[in-house]
Amino acid sequence: MKTQQDAAVFLLRIALATGFLSAVASRLNLWGAQSSGWKNFVDYTAETNSFLPSSWAVIIAVLSTIAELSIGILLLLGFQIKRTARYASVLTLFFALAMSISFGIKESLDYSVFAFSAGAFLLSTFSRYEWSVDQFLHQ
């Protein structure tokens, strides 16, 4: 049973990491024609945070991109997983709440942002992380 749980924790970590990294890649046009692009991302950031001044959109876009890139890399490597997963959970919860305020709850549910946040929170609750830098450092 422990092996199945180890595999599930590993797959959850990789799925979350690739989700963050894919989003960053899209706004940096690394997905080619399927990319959203930076300008579209800043516009979407302003719409998502409609309750804040629109002049904050660029700052929020830059900070969220830095956070998502950092979280994605750290989760992919498996370094400081517990802490990084908590940050991922909080970041995506804030995103889900902002989406819900600005667009309604349906948008957050359709994009599974609450599930993403809960998955990150779940990842932060495990006591061991096989196949990670954390495991290597704690041996």
Side-chain angles (χ1 to χ4, degrees):
M1 186 61 153
K2 220 29 162 170
T3 303
Q4 284 183 332
Q5 186 181 52
D6 290 338
V9 169
F10 173 76
L11 291 173
L12 176 58
R13 177 170 60 91
I14 298 306
L16 292 170
T18 56
F20 280 112
L21 294 174
S22 177
V24 171
S26 180
R27 66 188 70 138
L28 298 179
N29 289 315
L30 300 178
W31 283 119
Q34 295 179 332
S35 294
S36 61
W38 183 253
K39 183 183 178 336
N40 289 337
F41 176 64
V42 172
D43 292 345
Y44 182 70
T45 300
E47 291 173 20
T48 304
N49 295 283
S50 62
F51 49 89
L52 296 175
S54 60
S55 61
W56 293 16
V58 173
I59 294 167
I60 295 169
V62 168
L63 292 176
S64 65
T65 299
I66 291 168
E68 290 176 46
L69 181 62
S70 301
I71 289 168
I73 291 170
L74 290 171
L75 287 177
L76 193 62
L77 294 174
F79 184 68
Q80 294 288 314
I81 297 169
K82 193 174 283 287
R83 177 179 295 155
T84 303
R86 274 190 234 118
Y87 292 151
S89 179
V90 170
L91 180 64
T92 53
L93 180 61
F94 284 159
F95 179 51
L97 293 173
M99 285 179 76
S100 298
I101 291 167
S102 296
F103 306 121
I105 191 75
K106 183 182 180 311
E107 184 101 355
S108 304
L109 296 173
D110 284 355
Y111 286 98
S112 304
V113 187
F114 287 110
F116 200 91
S117 180
F121 181 66
L122 178 64
L123 182 63
S124 76
T125 66
F126 291 96
S127 58
R128 63 186 222 169
Y129 301 97
E130 296 291 322
W131 312 296
S132 67
V133 171
D134 285 351
Q135 177 195 20
F136 177 76
L137 292 175
H138 292 107
Q139 285 183 348

